[in-house]
Amino acid sequence: MSTTAEKPASPNSGPPAGGAQRGAAHASPATAGRKRNKSRKVRRLSRRDKIVLGIMVGLPTLIQLLFVWLPTLASIGLSFTRWNGLDLADIKSAGTENYEFISQNYPPFWPAMQHNVLWLAFLALIATPLGLLLAVLLDQKIRGSKIYQSIFFTPVMLSLALIGIIWQLFYNRDSGLLNFLLGTAGTPQAVDWFGDSNVNIWAAMIAATWRHAGYVMILYLAGLKGVDPALREAASIDGANAVQTFFRVVFPAMRPVNIVIVVITIIESLRAFDIVYVINRGTNGLELLSALVIQNLIGEGQVIGVGSALAVVLLVISLVPIVFYLIRTFGKEKEA
């Protein structure tokens, strides 16, 4: 009986067919993925996509150009001219006369500067710490915190003009709530809070604080939520109490929020206009730079050059905190 000897496998021969199939099966997903990546092409923007993007970018840019930048450039140019605001042919060059006039011969200018500085100090030292205090209290997870947040944030949704009207009812000499609480309503001893030039600036700043504190509260609440809880735990382990933990750990950790609030506070103090204009058009102790700009640009006694010069002064002062904020923001991005 004859038998056929099996031929030994050669050491150089490949793996069995089953192994080859399994290897092919394992390699197939990666190979297929590479093929898909090679075959995948960058999607080109269609004409419709280009139109939509053009509208989304171009329309806001056009609005900014028409209502912000062109008037700004026009104000800068008009600040060096004399013009009655009616006939373009009457525009005459005045050099720096308008700036010399407002700094030397325009009586309301320096009181307005002082009032703006006072407004800034009041918001920075009273309104902003009050907003921070509200944020810290509401961050303690007390019952009904959402309701309290809504109550304190409500004034932020109101315009300063409406706030001025509301507080006029509160400060009214004859029937206002404040004089009623003081027991002087309807009597000669009643204080005219918005009419008395010695106290109206303080009354107006308190009304502005009602709105500003709520705005600061929301910003600080967001900042407190973003602080790493591990920092507080580490401070607690080191033996720090709640006050030390806040001022030495939590508050420094909110540095980006602090910078934003400083910039917002400065801008709010400079753009305060609505509330004083509603009260008495920015006169009789409520002179502010923004109110002086409107007084010189609108009305019978309009002086376009002087009003434009005041607007440029206000613009330059406003740009200081904005440029500071942008430098800090983009400087950190470059370092990162």
Side-chain angles (χ1 to χ4, degrees), residues 68-81 83 304 308-309 312:
V68 178
W69 294 109
L70 289 181
T72 300
L73 295 176
S75 296
I76 294 174
L78 290 172
S79 67
F80 297 98
T81 65
W83 184 36
I304 303 298
S308 299
V312 172

Side-chain angles (χ1 to χ4, degrees), residues 138 144-157 217-218 221:
L138 294 178
S145 61
K146 298 296 182 182
I147 298 176
Y148 295 133
Q149 290 178 29
S150 301
I151 293 173
F152 292 128
F153 186 72
T154 298
V156 182
M157 298 184 291
M217 177 200 70
I218 290 297
L221 270 175

Side-chain angles (χ1 to χ4, degrees), residues 117-129 202 205-207 209 265:
V117 172
L118 180 61
W119 203 286
L120 171 61
F122 195 89
L123 291 185
L125 301 178
I126 304 296
T128 298
W202 301 100
M205 288 189 297
I206 291 174
T209 297
T265 302

